[in-house]
PDB file of all heavy atoms in Angstrom:
ATOM      1  N   ALA A 416     -37.428  38.659-125.231  1.00 48.00           N
ATOM      2  CA  ALA A 416     -38.220  39.057-124.050  1.00 48.00           C
ATOM      3  C   ALA A 416     -39.700  39.134-124.567  1.00 48.00           C
ATOM      4  O   ALA A 416     -40.623  38.857-123.713  1.00 48.00           O
ATOM      5  CB  ALA A 416     -37.763  40.483-123.611  1.00 48.00           C
ATOM      6  N   PHE A 417     -39.974  39.371-125.835  1.00 49.00           N
ATOM      7  CA  PHE A 417     -41.375  39.353-126.302  1.00 49.00           C
ATOM      8  C   PHE A 417     -41.883  38.009-126.541  1.00 49.00           C
ATOM      9  O   PHE A 417     -43.024  37.894-126.915  1.00 49.00           O
ATOM     10  CB  PHE A 417     -41.561  40.315-127.449  1.00 49.00           C
ATOM     11  CG  PHE A 417     -41.625  41.695-127.152  1.00 49.00           C
ATOM     12  CD1 PHE A 417     -40.646  42.732-127.213  1.00 49.00           C
ATOM     13  CD2 PHE A 417     -42.820  42.216-126.664  1.00 49.00           C
ATOM     14  CE1 PHE A 417     -40.625  43.963-126.937  1.00 49.00           C
ATOM     15  CE2 PHE A 417     -42.863  43.579-126.216  1.00 49.00           C
ATOM     16  CZ  PHE A 417     -41.877  44.419-126.418  1.00 49.00           C
ATOM     17  N   GLY A 418     -41.107  36.983-126.433  1.00 51.00           N
ATOM     18  CA  GLY A 418     -41.617  35.627-126.546  1.00 51.00           C
ATOM     19  C   GLY A 418     -42.300  35.097-125.398  1.00 51.00           C
ATOM     20  O   GLY A 418     -42.593  35.853-124.336  1.00 51.00           O
ATOM     21  N   PRO A 419     -42.946  33.952-125.486  1.00 50.00           N
ATOM     22  CA  PRO A 419     -43.883  33.438-124.452  1.00 50.00           C
ATOM     23  C   PRO A 419     -43.152  33.360-123.050  1.00 50.00           C
ATOM     24  O   PRO A 419     -43.812  33.654-122.007  1.00 50.00           O
ATOM     25  CB  PRO A 419     -44.242  31.947-124.945  1.00 50.00           C
ATOM     26  CG  PRO A 419     -43.990  32.057-126.466  1.00 50.00           C
ATOM     27  CD  PRO A 419     -42.959  32.987-126.624  1.00 50.00           C
ATOM     28  N   GLN A 420     -41.952  33.127-122.948  1.00 49.00           N
ATOM     29  CA  GLN A 420     -41.249  32.940-121.710  1.00 49.00           C
ATOM     30  C   GLN A 420     -40.776  34.377-121.252  1.00 49.00           C
ATOM     31  O   GLN A 420     -40.758  34.758-120.176  1.00 49.00           O
ATOM     32  CB  GLN A 420     -39.966  32.062-121.778  1.00 49.00           C
ATOM     33  CG  GLN A 420     -40.498  30.659-122.129  1.00 49.00           C
ATOM     34  CD  GLN A 420     -41.492  30.034-120.942  1.00 49.00           C
ATOM     35  OE1 GLN A 420     -41.353  30.373-119.854  1.00 49.00           O
ATOM     36  NE2 GLN A 420     -42.469  29.306-121.439  1.00 49.00           N
ATOM     37  N   GLY A 421     -40.285  35.145-122.287  1.00 49.00           N
ATOM     38  CA  GLY A 421     -39.763  36.452-121.989  1.00 49.00           C
ATOM     39  C   GLY A 421     -40.764  37.408-121.315  1.00 49.00           C
ATOM     40  O   GLY A 421     -40.451  38.129-120.486  1.00 49.00           O
ATOM     41  N   ILE A 422     -41.997  37.321-121.924  1.00 47.00           N
ATOM     42  CA  ILE A 422     -43.020  38.338-121.355  1.00 47.00           C
ATOM     43  C   ILE A 422     -43.232  37.997-119.803  1.00 47.00           C
ATOM     44  O   ILE A 422     -43.632  38.945-119.090  1.00 47.00           O
ATOM     45  CB  ILE A 422     -44.326  38.136-122.138  1.00 47.00           C
ATOM     46  CG1 ILE A 422     -45.274  39.381-121.783  1.00 47.00           C
ATOM     47  CG2 ILE A 422     -44.978  36.836-122.045  1.00 47.00           C
ATOM     48  CD1 ILE A 422     -44.754  40.716-121.965  1.00 47.00           C
ATOM     49  N   ARG A 423     -43.224  36.730-119.392  1.00 47.00           N
ATOM     50  CA  ARG A 423     -43.389  36.439-118.036  1.00 47.00           C
ATOM     51  C   ARG A 423     -42.336  37.020-117.124  1.00 47.00           C
ATOM     52  O   ARG A 423     -42.542  37.513-116.156  1.00 47.00           O
ATOM     53  CB  ARG A 423     -43.304  34.908-117.757  1.00 47.00           C
ATOM     54  CG  ARG A 423     -44.393  34.095-118.605  1.00 47.00           C
ATOM     55  CD  ARG A 423     -44.347  32.656-118.422  1.00 47.00           C
ATOM     56  NE  ARG A 423     -45.379  31.970-119.221  1.00 47.00           N
ATOM     57  CZ  ARG A 423     -46.577  31.616-118.566  1.00 47.00           C
ATOM     58  NH1 ARG A 423     -46.700  31.917-117.347  1.00 47.00           N
ATOM     59  NH2 ARG A 423     -47.404  30.994-119.305  1.00 47.00           N
ATOM     60  N   ASN A 424     -41.027  37.125-117.726  1.00 53.00           N
ATOM     61  CA  ASN A 424     -39.962  37.736-116.861  1.00 53.00           C
ATOM     62  C   ASN A 424     -40.239  39.219-116.906  1.00 53.00           C
ATOM     63  O   ASN A 424     -39.990  39.882-115.881  1.00 53.00           O
ATOM     64  CB  ASN A 424     -38.657  37.560-117.615  1.00 53.00           C
ATOM     65  CG  ASN A 424     -38.224  36.004-117.616  1.00 53.00           C
ATOM     66  OD1 ASN A 424     -38.661  35.352-116.757  1.00 53.00           O
ATOM     67  ND2 ASN A 424     -37.500  35.532-118.688  1.00 53.00           N
ATOM     68  N   LEU A 425     -40.722  39.782-118.069  1.00 50.00           N
ATOM     69  CA  LEU A 425     -41.083  41.275-117.931  1.00 50.00           C
ATOM     70  C   LEU A 425     -42.177  41.599-116.968  1.00 50.00           C
ATOM     71  O   LEU A 425     -42.160  42.532-116.238  1.00 50.00           O
ATOM     72  CB  LEU A 425     -41.508  41.672-119.389  1.00 50.00           C
ATOM     73  CG  LEU A 425     -40.391  41.835-120.350  1.00 50.00           C
ATOM     74  CD1 LEU A 425     -40.973  42.263-121.740  1.00 50.00           C
ATOM     75  CD2 LEU A 425     -39.345  42.860-119.972  1.00 50.00           C
ATOM     76  N   LEU A 426     -43.144  40.661-116.971  1.00 46.00           N
ATOM     77  CA  LEU A 426     -44.346  40.892-116.068  1.00 46.00           C
ATOM     78  C   LEU A 426     -43.940  40.766-114.632  1.00 46.00           C
ATOM     79  O   LEU A 426     -44.244  41.506-113.697  1.00 46.00           O
ATOM     80  CB  LEU A 426     -45.458  39.855-116.433  1.00 46.00           C
ATOM     81  CG  LEU A 426     -46.165  40.037-117.656  1.00 46.00           C
ATOM     82  CD1 LEU A 426     -46.981  38.823-117.945  1.00 46.00           C
ATOM     83  CD2 LEU A 426     -47.020  41.329-117.670  1.00 46.00           C
ATOM     84  N   LEU A 427     -43.094  39.819-114.329  1.00 51.00           N
ATOM     85  CA  LEU A 427     -42.590  39.489-112.992  1.00 51.00           C
ATOM     86  C   LEU A 427     -41.677  40.669-112.477  1.00 51.00           C
ATOM     87  O   LEU A 427     -41.657  40.889-111.231  1.00 51.00           O
ATOM     88  CB  LEU A 427     -41.728  38.231-112.897  1.00 51.00           C
ATOM     89  CG  LEU A 427     -42.735  36.959-113.074  1.00 51.00           C
ATOM     90  CD1 LEU A 427     -41.715  35.691-113.234  1.00 51.00           C
ATOM     91  CD2 LEU A 427     -43.619  36.912-111.997  1.00 51.00           C
ATOM     92  N   ASP A 428     -40.914  41.354-113.422  1.00 58.00           N
ATOM     93  CA  ASP A 428     -40.089  42.464-113.006  1.00 58.00           C
ATOM     94  C   ASP A 428     -40.641  43.832-113.231  1.00 58.00           C
ATOM     95  O   ASP A 428     -41.074  44.455-112.230  1.00 58.00           O
ATOM     96  CB  ASP A 428     -38.761  42.383-113.698  1.00 58.00           C
ATOM     97  CG  ASP A 428     -38.062  41.092-113.412  1.00 58.00           C
ATOM     98  OD1 ASP A 428     -38.162  40.603-112.380  1.00 58.00           O
ATOM     99  OD2 ASP A 428     -37.339  40.590-114.366  1.00 58.00           O
TER     100      ASP A 428
END
Side-chain angles (χ1 to χ4, degrees):
F417 277 104
Q420 297 302 320
I422 190 60
R423 296 175 181 270
N424 296 330
L425 289 176
L426 291 173
L427 291 173
D428 295 333

